[in-house]
Amino acid sequence: MKTRKRLLIVDGYNVLRSGSRYARISLPDYTDDTFNAARERLINDVINYAGRDMQAIVVFDGKGNQYSEGQPESIGGVKVIFSPAGQIADRVIEKLAHDARERNVETMVVTSDSTIQDTVFGDGVDRMSAEGFCREMELHYDSARLDEKPVVARKSTIAGRISPDALEKLRALRDSGCS
């Protein structure tokens, strides 16, 4: 049985602004370092969430950056796109979702932007809110922690490291009372 292709498209800045998981990182500090840390955490979350089950694209708004060309960059198997100068991320997301549906790719868009949600849902694409994604990430990481089985430390003794013959001789020596 052939499985259908799946695609996850994430509205980057919308999720950073609307998702509780990222609020403590990105707000109210608007410095480059803070935004970079928030973007990095989101991208890492998307990498972990998508895993090998689906392709993923994170779209950030690059409209106000005159140097943004809208070219995707791959990070950990996830495509990261800053929309081209003069174009908002919403249009890029809508086009990606529409094109995926045309290719019969099962698509999920993560955003709390109601306009994008209405546009892509009307096109048959599934949607998830930014907060829904944050909850999914918490469940994902909780599940990963529960999957880790505790490893019992083995007691390392001299008796466990020497040959049985030598151990028997040492016991005999000890029990004979010789020093």
Side-chain angles (χ1 to χ4, degrees):
M1 184 172 109
K2 189 175 181 180
T3 58
R4 208 170 144 187
K5 294 179 189 176
R6 296 173 59 205
L7 175 64
L8 177 70
I9 303 171
V10 179
D11 185 352
Y13 287 138
N14 179 273
V15 173
L16 291 179
R17 283 190 311 272
S18 303
S20 60
R21 182 171 171 76
Y22 310 99
R24 59 187 168 269
I25 300 172
S26 60
L27 296 175
D29 187 354
Y30 293 101
T31 63
D32 287 341
D33 289 344
T34 303
F35 266 140
N36 288 338
R39 280 192 297 256
E40 186 175 306
R41 181 170 188 186
L42 174 61
I43 292 166
N44 284 329
D45 284 350
V46 171
I47 290 167
N48 286 310
Y49 184 78
R52 296 177 185 197
D53 297 335
M54 61 183 85
Q55 294 178 315
I57 303 171
V58 180
V59 182
F60 293 105
D61 201 330
K63 161 183 103 163
N65 181 344
Q66 65 180 345
Y67 301 107
S68 182
E69 297 176 3
Q71 295 301 314
E73 177 183 344
S74 183
I75 300 174
V78 169
K79 285 184 184 174
V80 177
I81 301 173
F82 283 84
S83 65
Q87 185 179 37
I88 60 174
D90 299 17
R91 297 293 95 57
V92 174
I93 293 166
E94 290 166 2
K95 180 170 178 14
L96 288 168
H98 176 75
D99 291 350
R101 291 300 296 165
E102 290 292 310
R103 295 187 325 271
N104 201 30
V105 174
E106 183 180 336
T107 306
M108 168 76 71
V109 174
V110 177
T111 185
S112 287
D113 183 309
S114 60
T115 304
I116 295 176
Q117 286 182 346
D118 291 344
T119 302
V120 299
F121 190 66
D123 204 15
V125 173
D126 292 324
R127 59 194 174 177
M128 180 188 302
S129 70
E131 192 55 35
F133 180 75
C134 291
R135 283 193 302 274
E136 287 288 325
M137 288 315 307
E138 294 300 329
L139 291 172
H140 174 78
Y141 287 125
D142 286 346
S143 172
R145 279 190 287 278
L146 292 175
D147 285 347
E148 295 175 2
K149 293 179 176 60
V151 178
V152 177
R154 251 186 29 179
K155 187 174 181 180
S156 180
T157 63
I158 292 175
R161 293 183 295 206
I162 61 174
S163 72
D165 290 338
L167 182 61
E168 189 57 39
K169 288 178 184 176
L170 286 171
R171 283 187 180 139
L173 191 61
R174 176 193 68 197
D175 293 342
S176 71
C178 295
S179 18

